[in-house]
Amino acid sequence: MLVESPPEQRAESAPAPPTRRAARAFGLLLSVAILVLVALASIAIGAKELSLGQVWHGLFEDSGSYGDVVVAERLSRTVLGLLAGAALGLAGAVLQALTRNPLADPGLLGINAGASAAVVTAITFLGVTSLSGYVWFAFFGAAAVGALVWFLGGSRGATPVRLALAGTAISAALFGYLQAVMIMDDAALGKMRFWTLGSLSAATDATIEQVLPFLLTGTVLALALARPLNAMAMGDDTAKALGANLNRTRALSMLAATVLCGAATAACGPIVFVGLMVPHVVRSFTGPDLRWILPYAAILSPVLLLGADVIGRVVARPAELQVGIVTAILGGPVFIFLVRRRRTAQL
C-alpha cells in the first residue's frame, strides 16, 4: 500500500513553481536595495547629521575634514554591523533548523553566555582592558561552550532536544558565574556593563580584520549546509534515505553557528533577538527551504541591526542607546507575538 507523504515534505522535495522562484529572487534583490539604503543611513545619521554630499566626499575623496573623519568612523561601524548582523541571522537560521525549533536563537545553546563568561574572566583575573583583547577571549569562550554543548548533547548521538537542554543548563551555570564575579569585583562590573549591552560604537578596522576570517568561514559553511539541513527537516529516517549524514550535518551546524555567533559576540558583545526574529519572519514568506532562508537572513539581519543602531543614535542625542538595548526593546514584543501566534496555530 502506498503511503502519501505529508504536505510539508512534498512541498520541501518538490521544486518551487517558476513564479514563486521569481518572486523569491525579486524579494532578495529588494532586500539588498533596502540594505544599501539602511547602510547609507547608518553613515549619514548620528549625533551630527551629514549631507549626502559630505557622505560621498568622505567615502571617496577623503581630505581629513571633520565630516570625512566622521564618515570614516561610521563606515567602520556600518561594516561591522553588516558583518555581525549577517552572522547572527545565519547562526539563528542554522540553529532553528538544527533544533527544529523556530523560536531558537544563538543564546539557546549557551554561545553568548560562553563569550560573556570568557570576557569577564579576562577582565577580572587577567587584567585585559582593550577590545582587541576581548575579541579573542570571547571567541574562545563561545567555541569552548559550543564544543561542551555538543559533547553533553551526545556528540554523535546528539538530538535537538539534548542539545537544547545542554545549552540551557550551561547558560544557567555561566550566568551564575557572571553575576558572582561582577558582584565581587566592582572594576569588572564597570567594564563589563558596556560590553554586555551590545554595541557597534567601538568598531575599528582592526576589530573587523580580526573577526572577518571567522565570519567568512562560518558564512560559507552555513550556506553549504542548506541542503542537508533541508533533508533533516523531513525527519531522520527520510534524511538518511536521501543520503544525508546526520552526525556530520549536526556537528558542522554546531561549528558554523559557534563560529558565526562567537565572532559577532566577540566584536559587538551579546546582541539578542536578531538571530531569533529575522529567520523566523523570513520563513513566513520563503517557506521552509533553507536555500532561501539563509540568504534572506544574511541580508535582512543587518537591516535590523543597523536600523536599530541608527534609532539608538537618534532617540538619545547627543548621547546614544547601545544597539543591544534597542534590539531588546524591539524584540521583546515581537517575541511575545511570535510565541502567541505559534501557540494559537497549535490549538
Side-chain angles (χ1 to χ4, degrees):
M1 182 177 64
L2 294 176
V3 179
E4 188 177 7
S5 59
E8 61 272 16
Q9 291 188 12
R10 295 199 305 273
E12 176 69 21
S13 57
T19 54
R20 189 174 184 184
R21 290 199 299 271
R24 287 170 172 172
F26 175 76
L28 206 59
L29 292 175
L30 182 61
S31 299
V32 172
I34 294 173
L35 178 59
V36 171
L37 293 176
V38 173
L40 290 175
S42 176
I43 297 173
I45 300 174
K48 175 179 173 57
E49 288 195 32
L50 302 176
S51 67
L52 290 178
Q54 288 175 305
V55 172
W56 179 270
H57 192 276
L59 289 174
F60 302 106
E61 303 174 20
D62 185 10
S63 62
S65 67
Y66 173 78
D68 295 345
V69 172
V70 172
V71 168
E73 292 176 351
R74 291 182 187 171
L75 181 60
S76 295
R77 182 172 185 157
T78 301
V79 170
L80 182 59
L82 290 170
L83 295 173
L88 293 173
L90 286 171
V94 169
L95 289 177
Q96 288 175 12
L98 176 64
T99 61
R100 298 174 191 169
N101 180 359
L103 297 179
D105 76 333
L108 180 68
L109 299 185
I111 297 172
N112 285 346
S116 299
V119 171
V120 168
T121 302
I123 291 173
T124 305
F125 301 110
L126 302 178
V128 177
T129 58
S130 66
L131 180 63
S132 59
Y134 295 168
V135 167
W136 296 108
F137 281 96
F139 185 78
F140 174 78
V145 169
L148 183 59
V149 168
W150 176 248
F151 174 76
L152 294 179
S155 57
R156 289 185 174 274
T159 63
V161 174
R162 287 182 180 178
L163 292 173
L165 289 175
T168 301
I170 292 173
S171 293
L174 291 177
F175 180 76
Y177 168 76
L178 286 170
Q179 297 304 307
V181 172
M182 289 193 291
I183 288 173
M184 292 186 297
D185 190 334
D186 291 338
L189 177 61
K191 293 173 184 177
M192 278 296 298
R193 186 182 292 115
F194 180 80
W195 187 83
T196 54
L197 293 176
S199 176
L200 299 175
S201 61
T204 64
D205 292 343
T207 302
I208 294 171
E209 291 172 0
Q210 286 177 319
V211 300
L212 183 60
F214 300 105
L215 294 176
L216 292 178
T217 301
T219 298
V220 172
L221 182 56
L223 294 175
L225 289 168
R227 287 183 179 276
L229 284 173
N230 275 344
M232 287 178 58
M234 294 185 283
D236 290 356
D237 292 338
T238 303
K240 289 179 181 178
L242 293 173
N245 187 318
L246 301 185
N247 292 329
R248 182 177 63 189
T249 300
R250 287 178 179 138
L252 291 177
S253 297
M254 278 291 299
L255 177 62
T258 299
V259 170
L260 288 168
C261 185
T265 303
C268 309
I271 298 176
V272 297
F273 286 118
V274 174
L276 165 65
M277 286 192 294
V278 176
H280 190 86
V281 172
V282 163
R283 193 179 294 106
S284 67
F285 58 83
T286 64
D289 191 345
L290 283 161
R291 292 173 297 178
W292 289 100
I293 292 175
L294 291 174
Y296 266 101
I299 295 171
L300 292 179
S301 294
V303 171
L304 173 60
L305 187 61
L306 289 176
D309 190 42
V310 171
I311 292 172
R313 291 184 237 170
V314 171
V315 299
R317 285 176 174 170
E320 67 176 63
L321 287 177
Q322 280 73 25
V323 66
I325 297 176
V326 180
T327 58
I329 293 173
L330 296 175
V334 173
F335 181 74
I336 293 172
F337 169 76
L338 294 176
V339 170
R340 286 182 62 84
R341 189 179 71 171
R342 179 171 170 80
R343 181 180 178 184
T344 302
Q346 291 176 340
L347 294 178

